[in-house]
Amino acid sequence: MVVFAGQGDPRRSLSLLWRADTPPPTRGGPGPKPRLSVDAIVTAAVALADEEGMGALSMRAVGDRLGRTAMALYTYVPGKSELLDLMYDAVHAELPAARPEPADWRAALTAWAGEILEFYVRHPWVLQVSQARPVLGPHEYAGLDTLVVLLRATGLDAGSLRRLVGTLYPYLRGSAQVVADARLAAAATGSSDEEWWAARSAALMELVPDFAERFPAVSRLEADGPVEPYPGTGEGAERGCEVMPYPEREAREAFRVGLGVLLDGIEAARARRAR
Protein backbone atom coordinates (compact mmCIF):
# COMPACT_ATOMS: atom_id res chain seq x y z
CA MET A 1 0.00 0.00 0.00
CA VAL A 2 1.46 3.33 -1.08
CA VAL A 3 0.31 6.46 0.75
CA PHE A 4 0.79 9.98 -0.58
CA ALA A 5 1.52 12.71 1.93
CA GLY A 6 0.36 16.29 1.73
CA GLN A 7 -3.29 15.65 0.93
CA GLY A 8 -4.75 17.97 3.56
CA ASP A 9 -5.26 21.72 3.40
CA PRO A 10 -1.77 23.14 2.57
CA ARG A 11 -1.77 26.02 5.04
CA ARG A 12 -3.28 24.05 7.89
CA SER A 13 -0.93 21.10 7.31
CA LEU A 14 2.18 23.26 7.17
CA SER A 15 1.01 25.26 10.18
CA LEU A 16 0.78 22.03 12.17
CA LEU A 17 4.11 20.69 10.90
CA TRP A 18 5.92 23.87 11.89
CA ARG A 19 3.76 24.35 15.03
CA ALA A 20 2.65 27.80 13.90
CA ASP A 21 -1.00 28.00 15.05
CA THR A 22 -1.67 24.88 17.11
CA PRO A 23 -4.37 24.98 19.81
CA PRO A 24 -3.13 24.92 23.40
CA PRO A 25 -3.24 21.59 25.28
CA THR A 26 -6.23 21.07 27.54
CA ARG A 27 -7.25 18.61 30.21
CA GLY A 28 -10.73 18.13 28.78
CA GLY A 29 -13.24 17.16 31.46
CA PRO A 30 -12.59 16.34 35.11
CA GLY A 31 -10.50 13.34 36.08
CA PRO A 32 -6.93 12.15 35.48
CA LYS A 33 -7.09 12.01 31.68
CA PRO A 34 -3.75 12.74 30.02
CA ARG A 35 -3.22 16.20 28.55
CA LEU A 36 -4.27 16.28 24.93
CA SER A 37 -2.06 18.06 22.41
CA VAL A 38 -0.79 17.69 18.86
CA ASP A 39 2.40 16.08 20.17
CA ALA A 40 0.49 13.59 22.33
CA ILE A 41 -1.72 12.60 19.40
CA VAL A 42 1.27 12.16 17.09
CA THR A 43 3.16 10.10 19.67
CA ALA A 44 0.19 7.76 20.09
CA ALA A 45 -0.27 7.45 16.33
CA VAL A 46 3.40 6.60 15.77
CA ALA A 47 3.28 3.93 18.48
CA LEU A 48 0.17 2.44 16.86
CA ALA A 49 1.76 2.35 13.39
CA ASP A 50 5.01 0.87 14.76
CA GLU A 51 3.15 -1.91 16.55
CA GLU A 52 0.31 -2.72 14.15
CA GLY A 53 1.23 -1.19 10.80
CA MET A 54 -0.28 1.50 8.62
CA GLY A 55 -3.48 -0.47 8.09
CA ALA A 56 -4.41 -0.07 11.75
CA LEU A 57 -4.13 3.71 11.68
CA SER A 58 -7.34 5.67 12.16
CA MET A 59 -8.42 8.65 14.21
CA ARG A 60 -10.64 6.36 16.27
CA ALA A 61 -7.79 3.92 17.02
CA VAL A 62 -5.51 6.77 18.07
CA GLY A 63 -8.27 8.23 20.24
CA ASP A 64 -8.72 4.85 21.93
CA ARG A 65 -5.05 4.84 22.87
CA LEU A 66 -5.44 8.24 24.47
CA GLY A 67 -8.71 7.43 26.19
CA ARG A 68 -10.56 9.97 24.04
CA THR A 69 -13.07 9.87 21.21
CA ALA A 70 -12.01 10.47 17.64
CA MET A 71 -14.01 13.71 17.70
CA ALA A 72 -11.82 15.05 20.52
CA LEU A 73 -8.76 14.71 18.29
CA TYR A 74 -10.19 16.83 15.48
CA THR A 75 -9.76 19.99 17.57
CA TYR A 76 -6.00 19.46 17.23
CA VAL A 77 -5.55 17.56 13.97
CA PRO A 78 -8.10 18.06 11.13
CA GLY A 79 -7.94 14.49 9.86
CA LYS A 80 -5.96 11.38 9.05
CA SER A 81 -4.10 12.99 6.12
CA GLU A 82 -2.69 15.73 8.32
CA LEU A 83 -1.95 13.21 11.07
CA LEU A 84 0.09 11.11 8.65
CA ASP A 85 2.16 14.15 7.66
CA LEU A 86 2.82 14.91 11.32
CA MET A 87 3.78 11.30 12.10
CA TYR A 88 6.14 11.10 9.13
CA ASP A 89 7.94 14.28 10.07
CA ALA A 90 8.02 13.49 13.79
CA VAL A 91 9.90 10.20 13.42
CA HIS A 92 12.43 11.92 11.16
CA ALA A 93 13.66 13.71 14.29
CA GLU A 94 15.54 10.45 14.96
CA LEU A 95 17.77 10.92 11.91
CA PRO A 96 21.41 11.94 12.32
CA ALA A 97 21.71 15.65 13.08
CA ALA A 98 23.60 18.13 10.94
CA ARG A 99 27.33 18.04 11.52
CA PRO A 100 30.46 19.77 10.17
CA GLU A 101 31.73 18.62 6.79
CA PRO A 102 33.62 15.38 7.46
CA ALA A 103 37.27 14.86 6.61
CA ASP A 104 36.51 11.31 5.43
CA TRP A 105 33.37 11.56 3.31
CA ARG A 106 33.24 7.82 2.59
CA ALA A 107 33.32 6.77 6.24
CA ALA A 108 30.76 9.46 7.10
CA LEU A 109 28.35 8.39 4.34
CA THR A 110 28.75 4.72 5.31
CA ALA A 111 27.86 5.51 8.93
CA TRP A 112 24.96 7.75 7.84
CA ALA A 113 23.54 5.07 5.53
CA GLY A 114 23.65 2.49 8.32
CA GLU A 115 21.72 4.81 10.65
CA ILE A 116 19.11 5.50 7.98
CA LEU A 117 18.63 1.79 7.31
CA GLU A 118 17.99 1.12 11.00
CA PHE A 119 15.58 4.07 11.15
CA TYR A 120 13.45 2.59 8.37
CA VAL A 121 13.55 -0.89 9.94
CA ARG A 122 12.32 0.60 13.25
CA HIS A 123 9.45 2.33 11.47
CA PRO A 124 8.59 0.15 8.43
CA TRP A 125 5.30 2.02 7.86
CA VAL A 126 7.38 5.05 6.81
CA LEU A 127 8.38 3.09 3.70
CA GLN A 128 4.74 3.14 2.58
CA VAL A 129 4.75 6.95 2.41
CA SER A 130 5.74 7.88 -1.13
CA GLN A 131 8.64 10.28 -1.61
CA ALA A 132 7.02 11.61 -4.78
CA ARG A 133 5.51 14.40 -2.66
CA PRO A 134 7.55 15.40 0.39
CA VAL A 135 5.90 16.39 3.65
CA LEU A 136 7.98 19.62 3.87
CA GLY A 137 8.31 19.44 7.63
CA PRO A 138 11.21 20.67 9.79
CA HIS A 139 12.62 17.24 10.66
CA GLU A 140 12.43 16.01 7.07
CA TYR A 141 14.37 19.12 5.99
CA ALA A 142 16.90 18.62 8.82
CA GLY A 143 17.60 15.08 7.61
CA LEU A 144 18.07 16.33 4.06
CA ASP A 145 20.35 19.11 5.27
CA THR A 146 22.59 16.57 7.02
CA LEU A 147 22.94 14.49 3.87
CA VAL A 148 23.80 17.55 1.78
CA VAL A 149 26.54 18.48 4.27
CA LEU A 150 28.03 14.99 3.98
CA LEU A 151 27.83 14.97 0.19
CA ARG A 152 29.42 18.41 -0.08
CA ALA A 153 32.57 16.88 1.37
CA THR A 154 32.96 14.86 -1.85
CA GLY A 155 33.72 18.06 -3.76
CA LEU A 156 31.22 17.28 -6.51
CA ASP A 157 29.14 19.99 -8.17
CA ALA A 158 25.64 20.94 -7.01
CA GLY A 159 23.93 19.16 -9.90
CA SER A 160 25.66 15.88 -9.05
CA LEU A 161 24.80 16.27 -5.38
CA ARG A 162 21.11 16.69 -6.23
CA ARG A 163 21.16 13.46 -8.24
CA LEU A 164 23.00 11.62 -5.49
CA VAL A 165 20.30 12.59 -2.99
CA GLY A 166 17.79 11.15 -5.46
CA THR A 167 19.86 7.96 -5.71
CA LEU A 168 20.76 7.29 -2.09
CA TYR A 169 17.33 7.62 -0.49
CA PRO A 170 15.54 5.21 -2.88
CA TYR A 171 18.41 2.73 -2.51
CA LEU A 172 18.20 2.88 1.28
CA ARG A 173 14.42 2.61 1.30
CA GLY A 174 14.53 -0.41 -1.00
CA SER A 175 17.18 -2.12 1.12
CA ALA A 176 15.26 -1.40 4.32
CA GLN A 177 12.05 -2.77 2.82
CA VAL A 178 13.72 -6.14 2.19
CA VAL A 179 15.11 -6.25 5.74
CA ALA A 180 11.75 -5.29 7.24
CA ASP A 181 9.91 -7.85 5.09
CA ALA A 182 12.37 -10.56 6.13
CA ARG A 183 11.53 -9.85 9.77
CA LEU A 184 7.78 -9.91 9.17
CA ALA A 185 7.59 -12.94 6.86
CA ALA A 186 7.54 -15.70 9.47
CA ALA A 187 4.90 -14.01 11.63
CA ALA A 188 2.73 -13.10 8.64
CA THR A 189 2.84 -16.54 6.96
CA GLY A 190 3.05 -18.91 9.92
CA SER A 191 6.10 -20.74 8.56
CA SER A 192 9.78 -20.21 9.27
CA ASP A 193 12.23 -19.32 6.53
CA GLU A 194 13.83 -22.76 6.85
CA GLU A 195 10.46 -24.50 6.40
CA TRP A 196 9.56 -22.30 3.42
CA TRP A 197 12.84 -22.90 1.58
CA ALA A 198 12.96 -26.63 2.36
CA ALA A 199 9.46 -27.25 1.01
CA ARG A 200 9.85 -25.19 -2.15
CA SER A 201 13.40 -26.24 -2.97
CA ALA A 202 12.42 -29.90 -2.88
CA ALA A 203 9.33 -29.28 -5.02
CA LEU A 204 11.25 -27.16 -7.52
CA MET A 205 13.96 -29.78 -8.04
CA GLU A 206 11.31 -32.44 -8.53
CA LEU A 207 9.21 -30.44 -10.97
CA VAL A 208 12.09 -28.83 -12.89
CA PRO A 209 14.86 -31.46 -13.08
CA ASP A 210 16.60 -29.54 -15.89
CA PHE A 211 16.78 -26.33 -13.85
CA ALA A 212 20.59 -26.06 -14.21
CA GLU A 213 20.39 -26.40 -18.00
CA ARG A 214 17.57 -23.87 -18.31
CA PHE A 215 19.15 -21.30 -16.02
CA PRO A 216 22.91 -21.85 -16.27
CA ALA A 217 23.95 -18.38 -15.07
CA VAL A 218 21.87 -18.65 -11.90
CA SER A 219 23.09 -22.19 -11.23
CA ARG A 220 26.71 -21.17 -11.78
CA LEU A 221 26.29 -18.28 -9.35
CA GLU A 222 24.98 -20.67 -6.68
CA ALA A 223 27.75 -23.19 -7.38
CA ASP A 224 30.50 -20.58 -7.05
CA GLY A 225 29.95 -20.47 -3.29
CA PRO A 226 29.26 -17.74 -0.69
CA VAL A 227 29.75 -14.09 -1.54
CA GLU A 228 32.74 -12.40 0.07
CA PRO A 229 32.10 -9.13 1.94
CA TYR A 230 32.64 -6.12 -0.27
CA PRO A 231 35.74 -4.13 0.74
CA GLY A 232 35.37 -0.64 2.13
CA THR A 233 31.82 -0.96 3.51
CA GLY A 234 32.77 -0.35 7.12
CA GLU A 235 34.96 -2.11 9.64
CA GLY A 236 33.16 -4.83 11.56
CA ALA A 237 30.22 -4.80 9.14
CA GLU A 238 29.57 -8.52 9.59
CA ARG A 239 29.59 -8.46 13.39
CA GLY A 240 26.47 -10.03 14.84
CA CYS A 241 25.19 -11.35 11.51
CA GLU A 242 25.38 -14.94 12.71
CA VAL A 243 22.44 -14.35 15.08
CA MET A 244 20.13 -12.97 12.37
CA PRO A 245 17.68 -15.11 10.40
CA TYR A 246 19.20 -15.95 7.00
CA PRO A 247 17.02 -13.67 4.80
CA GLU A 248 17.69 -10.64 6.99
CA ARG A 249 21.41 -11.38 7.08
CA GLU A 250 21.48 -11.76 3.32
CA ALA A 251 19.50 -8.53 2.85
CA ARG A 252 21.93 -6.63 5.06
CA GLU A 253 24.91 -8.04 3.18
CA ALA A 254 23.31 -7.01 -0.11
CA PHE A 255 22.83 -3.51 1.32
CA ARG A 256 26.49 -3.27 2.30
CA VAL A 257 27.73 -4.53 -1.05
CA GLY A 258 25.46 -2.17 -2.98
CA LEU A 259 26.45 0.76 -0.80
CA GLY A 260 30.11 0.01 -1.46
CA VAL A 261 29.48 0.04 -5.20
CA LEU A 262 27.62 3.37 -4.94
CA LEU A 263 30.46 4.91 -2.97
CA ASP A 264 32.95 3.58 -5.53
CA GLY A 265 30.90 5.41 -8.14
CA ILE A 266 31.19 8.65 -6.17
CA GLU A 267 34.94 8.09 -5.93
CA ALA A 268 35.15 7.61 -9.68
CA ALA A 269 33.14 10.78 -10.27
CA ARG A 270 35.52 12.71 -8.01
CA ALA A 271 38.49 11.34 -9.95
CA ARG A 272 36.96 12.44 -13.27
CA ARG A 273 36.28 15.89 -11.84
CA ALA A 274 39.89 16.18 -10.62
CA ARG A 275 41.18 15.34 -14.10
Side-chain angles (χ1 to χ4, degrees):
M1 177 178 68
V2 177
V3 179
F4 291 96
Q7 295 192 61
D9 174 77
R11 194 189 185 288
R12 181 60 175 143
S13 293
L14 290 172
S15 175
L16 284 166
L17 283 164
W18 293 86
R19 299 299 193 271
D21 296 315
T22 56
T26 64
R27 295 196 65 86
K33 288 185 178 179
R35 294 172 66 89
L36 199 57
S37 66
V38 172
D39 289 338
I41 293 168
V42 172
T43 298
V46 168
L48 176 64
D50 285 347
E51 294 169 18
E52 302 182 34
M54 185 76 82
L57 183 66
S58 69
M59 298 296 277
R60 178 177 179 179
V62 175
D64 288 345
R65 285 200 162 223
L66 294 167
R68 303 298 180 90
T69 65
M71 291 303 297
L73 274 56
Y74 288 116
T75 301
Y76 300 85
V77 180
K80 184 177 174 181
S81 293
E82 290 84 359
L83 178 58
L84 180 63
D85 291 355
L86 290 164
M87 293 165 58
Y88 184 88
D89 192 67
V91 293
H92 277 72
E94 299 174 17
L95 296 185
R99 59 197 76 179
E101 256 185 53
D104 185 341
W105 64 266
R106 182 163 188 142
L109 279 173
T110 299
W112 172 87
E115 291 178 83
I116 299 297
L117 180 77
E118 298 306 329
F119 162 75
Y120 285 134
V121 173
R122 283 196 304 275
H123 306 292
W125 57 270
V126 170
L127 297 167
Q128 294 177 243
V129 182
S130 172
Q131 286 198 310
R133 294 182 177 179
V135 169
L136 305 179
H139 299 305
E140 184 182 41
Y141 270 120
L144 176 60
D145 200 65
T146 296
L147 176 56
V148 172
V149 169
L150 298 180
L151 288 174
R152 260 204 325 248
T154 65
L156 296 176
D157 61 276
S160 296
L161 298 191
R162 285 176 177 271
R163 301 303 175 268
L164 283 172
V165 170
T167 299
L168 286 168
Y169 271 121
Y171 173 71
L172 288 167
R173 286 168 64 97
S175 298
Q177 186 71 69
V178 178
V179 174
D181 288 349
R183 288 189 171 188
L184 293 170
T189 63
S191 63
S192 70
D193 296 314
E194 292 77 11
E195 293 169 337
W196 190 92
W197 279 108
R200 278 155 183 78
S201 295
L204 187 63
M205 292 302 100
E206 177 186 345
L207 298 169
V208 193
D210 60 342
F211 184 93
E213 290 74 29
R214 292 177 65 178
F215 309 105
V218 173
S219 299
R220 173 68 182 274
L221 189 64
E222 292 292 330
D224 283 344
V227 178
E228 291 298 320
Y230 192 87
T233 53
E235 189 173 345
E238 294 76 38
R239 190 176 304 145
C241 285
E242 66 278 358
V243 301
M244 298 177 191
Y246 176 75
E248 180 177 349
R249 183 169 70 248
E250 189 66 17
R252 288 179 178 274
E253 287 303 315
F255 158 71
R256 294 182 183 110
V257 170
L259 178 63
V261 172
L262 282 172
L263 297 182
D264 282 350
I266 294 176
E267 189 69 74
R270 293 177 76 244
R272 286 195 301 271
R273 181 178 175 83
R275 289 197 298 269

